[in-house]
Amino acid sequence: MPTDPSAAAKSTRSRILAAADALARSDGPGHLSLDAVAQRAGVSKGGLLYHFPSKTKLLEALVEEFLSNFDGMLRARETDARKDVLISAYVEFFLNERRLGDPPPSGLLAALAEDPELLAPVRRYERDFLDRIRANASDPALATLAFLAVHGIRAMELLNVKVVDEEEVAEVVTWLKHRLTGESA
């Protein structure tokens, strides 16, 4: 049975993006070179350049992939009409990332270092997401505070400038979850 060339191309493209994301998370965004990504993805540099003609195009795709995956996960929760479901899902997503030991998404930092304009779609997405959170919130100010707290913790971890320890993070997240859902974490 012949293989579908477009499916193979999508698979290779996905493998390259996964390799770029993994490299940025494990080795830091400064190590995100085309050679390193190609090696990690198991493709030739020419194969990588076929899918992403430049590092900028790779970073653009990495940012788009991150936003698409993240948005898909949260939109699935938006079908629930209850108040605070979106900010609660966002906090839960953050907690699951931490439980799994996933480092923060360094691909965004790599994109920022390469070209600050690559983050324009992130700014638009984050503004839209914050508007959706606030529209679904019983207390928009509290929802905004939870959004900012998660971003602040991620930023500290991403920049390796942790000024709060795990116990303090857990205390803040427990407080937020209790206020948002009425449950203890």
Side-chain angles (χ1 to χ4, degrees), residues 131-154:
D131 290 343
R132 288 167 31 212
I133 287 171
R134 291 178 58 82
N136 174 253
S138 54
D139 181 345
L142 178 60
T144 302
L145 179 63
F147 174 82
L148 292 172
V150 168
H151 272 278
I153 294 165
R154 279 191 174 135

Side-chain angles (χ1 to χ4, degrees), residues 37-113:
V37 171
Q39 182 179 11
R40 182 120 183 200
V43 299
S44 67
K45 187 170 180 184
L48 184 146
L49 291 171
Y50 172 80
H51 293 280
F52 305 101
S54 66
K55 185 176 179 182
T56 299
K57 292 295 182 190
L58 174 63
L59 292 172
E60 283 175 359
L62 193 59
V63 169
E64 288 171 16
E65 178 93 352
F66 171 77
L67 292 176
S68 176
N69 290 340
F70 186 72
D71 192 53
M73 184 276 305
L74 290 171
R75 286 211 185 263
R77 298 281 185 95
E78 272 183 297
T79 59
D80 185 334
R82 289 178 294 157
K83 286 291 186 186
D84 299 316
V85 72
L86 194 53
I87 189 60
S88 295
Y90 183 62
V91 171
E92 194 58 42
F93 177 75
F94 168 70
L95 288 172
N96 286 337
E97 254 184 3
R98 294 180 66 74
R99 277 186 212 110
L100 295 171
D102 289 345
S106 302
L108 298 179
L109 188 57
L112 175 62

Side-chain angles (χ1 to χ4, degrees), residues 2-14 50-51:
T3 59
D4 178 5
S6 65
K10 286 179 185 173
S11 173
T12 301
R13 187 178 192 283
S14 294
Y50 172 80
H51 293 280

